Amino acid sequence: MTKMQIVKTLFLKAPPAHVWKFLTEADRLAEWFHRGGSDLKEGGDYILETNSYGKEGETLCWGRVLEMKEPERLVHTFTHNFIDGAETKCTWTLEAVANGTILTLVHDGWENVAEERFNAAASHDVGWDEHFSRLRRVTN
């Protein structure tokens, strides 16, 4: 089976230290993705809460932070009920360049999704695009 992974690269007009806050701080995550239960900490578990009407504050996604090298690299597991709790992994790299940051996400681990793994990965691919359009607005 082909190893599926989602790879996204964004060019953001802000330095890595600024972008880092939007990947790791609960309130900043809420501005483009979902509110965190707390700031991310290396070795710690995290949750992200839904902002859907009538379900505000319910756990939507969760995982554990495997690595944090501020402001260059963040690695965490990622799961939610839509993939039956199967554990995937997100690796974020931030590269400082003149006038900004090149942010790359590699989201892999789709082989852990038991059913409809292609559809799950395809859905997340679209979802990341939607979230990243907001991330561009809030970091620039």
Side-chain angles (χ1 to χ4, degrees):
M1 174 174 72
T2 300
K3 180 179 177 179
M4 290 188 300
Q5 60 182 9
I6 299 167
V7 180
K8 302 285 185 182
T9 301
L10 291 82
F11 297 82
L12 302 169
K13 295 178 184 176
H18 181 71
V19 175
W20 181 263
K21 295 174 187 178
F22 287 87
L23 300 178
T24 62
E25 294 179 8
D27 290 341
R28 296 288 176 99
L29 277 161
E31 293 182 43
W32 70 276
F33 194 43
H34 299 283
R35 178 170 308 285
S38 62
D39 293 351
L40 275 63
K41 305 246 186 292
E42 186 166 9
D45 293 335
Y46 73 89
I47 62 166
L48 299 176
E49 301 168 348
T50 184
N51 56 3
S52 296
Y53 180 71
K55 297 181 179 183
E56 299 91 346
E58 290 181 15
T59 298
L60 178 66
C61 310
W62 63 91
R64 72 184 174 288
V65 179
L66 304 174
E67 180 183 343
M68 289 181 85
K69 184 177 178 186
E70 183 178 348
E72 300 169 8
R73 182 175 162 88
L74 171 66
V75 182
H76 60 83
T77 63
F78 179 87
T79 192
H80 53 78
N81 289 331
F82 301 120
I83 55 175
D84 296 323
E87 191 171 89
T88 63
K89 183 175 76 175
C90 294
T91 301
W92 305 83
T93 56
L94 298 85
E95 180 184 351
V97 293
N99 302 318
T101 300
I102 298 173
L103 175 66
T104 302
L105 166 66
V106 177
H107 189 171
D108 60 13
W110 298 103
E111 65 277 2
N112 298 327
V113 177
E115 300 293 325
E116 299 288 329
R117 68 179 52 99
F118 178 84
N119 289 338
S123 174
H124 283 77
D125 182 50
V126 171
W128 283 122
D129 287 341
E130 293 172 3
H131 292 301
F132 286 158
S133 67
R134 288 192 297 272
L135 180 59
R136 281 186 178 98
R137 284 194 304 271
V138 299
T139 59
N140 291 334

